[in-house]
Amino acid sequence: MLFARRLSIWPTLPLNVHFRNDSGWLPFPLNDGGCRIFSRARHAIWHACRTLGLGSRDVVLVPAYHHGCEIEALIQAGVKIRYYELNELLEPDVKSLEQQLTSDVSVLYLIHYLGFPQDAKRWRQWCNENDLLLFEDAAQAFLSEIDGQPVGTFGHAGVFCLYKTYGIPDGGAVVTIVPPGRPTSELQWGGWRVFKRHVNWVAERSALIGSVHLFIKPFTKLLRRKKNHNPYKEFEMGDPFSPPLALTTKLLPKLVDETTAARRRENYQFLLDEHRLLVPRPFQTLPQGASPFAFPIESNDADAVLKKLRRYGIEGLLFWRNAHPSLPAEKFPFSMAFRNRVFAVPVHQELTTSELLQISEAVHKSIIGNHTIPIANDSYSSNPKNNRPLHSTR
Ligand SMILES: Cc1ncc(COP(=O)(O)O)c(C=O)c1O
């Protein structure tokens, strides 16, 4: 396709946001007096560990399927980590948890993947029975609820990435049973990063700008990679005392909207109705309280499909390809399969019907000929050569 609007999973920043009034609606955790906002969620995790009194004698049970920066934040906070495997629904595998449960384990770290809530009530009860703290990582699940109760309120700590739901450049929020202090490092304005988000907004609406953006981006990425070969750079902690950018604080109240989660669900459902067979099993049914972060697709050759999607203007994301270097990857084939085979396309609240149709059509055209075999297959998940499709490992 010669010209195409560029659609990415990240919400963009409308140009008129500066002239809007504050919405007057404050969702959890922003409406909680104990909520603290840092520049990034990793800073929030680090602070939560401190206020929960965790240190070198505490073991935190963490999932093998993770971003990596949350693991780094826990390690930097001084705790020990121990990995557990997930089951085919991406829930903690009870057998794997119980094998790890020694007397020095203090915390269960639970990730709400892609805005789909885990059964947090069940895990809180399991933690109570085993005398553990529950740490809810809702980095991808801001605005998600379980039976009308926000995720992040079931555990002893909850963290959220605000910029994954709205087009602000940063913002990681935390609530804990003992609130941390406020960030103390120097405040930055954030003008350049806001400008880039505005450019993304224009690229979503103009096929000409979108195509230029899609053309230039790989070169800028390559340049950045040349300067820095470290594949783990994205896990770096930075300064844990960093406040959110001044423009993040100013713009967030203008962007929050009561309809956001419902609009994301609607967009997700639209793509689900069209492409259910491509979706990994944990994400094939949309729960009522979810606020989907993105629409996951499973493929035997994710890289090739992503490349094709770009031709139609869709910038999908194969997230979490690199695990934290502390993960003994060969022991966690199921989680590793997700890393290699699952990527996501956009469902954010600003997408229009014609943009959703663009995504749906692009998925259809890019996947034809790429036969997909689901991860949730026992013989596959027990195969250590997890980054290859099942049919080629027989
Ligand atoms: C599950 C999870 N936890 C924590 C984080 C940390 O977020 P931040 O990059 O804001 O530090 C991320 C980031 O993507 C994440 O995916």
Side-chain angles (χ1 to χ4, degrees), residues 16-60:
N16 70 3
V17 67
H18 304 276
F19 308 104
R20 291 187 194 170
N21 294 324
D22 290 359
S23 83
W25 179 66
L26 268 192
F28 183 82
L30 308 176
N31 59 3
D32 185 305
C35 172
R36 297 288 178 265
I37 304 181
F38 297 87
S39 177
R40 305 291 292 270
R42 63 197 72 185
H43 305 149
I45 295 165
W46 186 88
H47 282 277
C49 289
R50 293 186 106 200
T51 60
L52 291 173
L54 302 173
S56 57
R57 274 178 296 187
D58 297 293
V59 173
V60 180

Side-chain angles (χ1 to χ4, degrees), residues 40-42 45 67 69-70 109 111 137 139-140 161 163-164 320:
R40 305 291 292 270
R42 63 197 72 185
I45 295 165
H67 177 279
C69 68
E70 71 287 61
Y109 195 91
I111 297 183
D137 183 326
Q140 299 183 333
C161 284
Y163 63 89
K164 286 193 167 79
W320 302 1

Side-chain angles (χ1 to χ4, degrees), residues 173-286:
V174 61
V175 277
T176 42
I177 45 174
V178 188
R182 293 180 195 278
T184 49
S185 294
E186 198 187 334
L187 185 67
Q188 310 275 329
W189 180 241
W192 172 243
R193 290 173 64 185
V194 162
F195 173 75
K196 285 199 285 185
R197 272 149 190 84
H198 282 321
V199 172
N200 293 344
W201 184 86
V202 176
E204 266 198 9
R205 271 141 196 90
S206 152
L208 178 64
I209 306 292
S211 306
V212 172
H213 197 300
L214 280 160
F215 179 74
I216 291 175
K217 189 117 188 251
F219 295 106
T220 54
K221 254 192 183 167
L222 204 70
L223 271 180
R224 250 186 279 145
R225 220 173 278 159
K226 266 197 171 166
K227 263 201 241 161
N228 193 328
H229 291 293
N230 179 2
Y232 304 121
K233 180 147 179 69
E234 58 180 323
F235 304 158
E236 282 174 7
M237 190 53 201
D239 170 11
F241 293 93
S242 306
L245 296 164
L247 278 173
T248 289
T249 309
K250 187 163 179 262
L251 298 180
L252 181 61
K254 300 174 189 293
L255 288 164
V256 284
D257 187 307
E258 254 172 300
T259 64
T260 301
R263 274 155 65 190
R264 283 177 171 262
R265 278 197 299 274
E266 228 172 86
N267 294 347
Y268 190 100
Q269 191 62 52
F270 175 86
L271 293 179
L272 193 60
D273 291 343
E274 300 283 315
H275 301 294
R276 185 180 300 270
L277 291 178
L278 304 175
V279 175
R281 198 174 141 206
F283 305 105
Q284 280 182 0
T285 308
L286 179 62

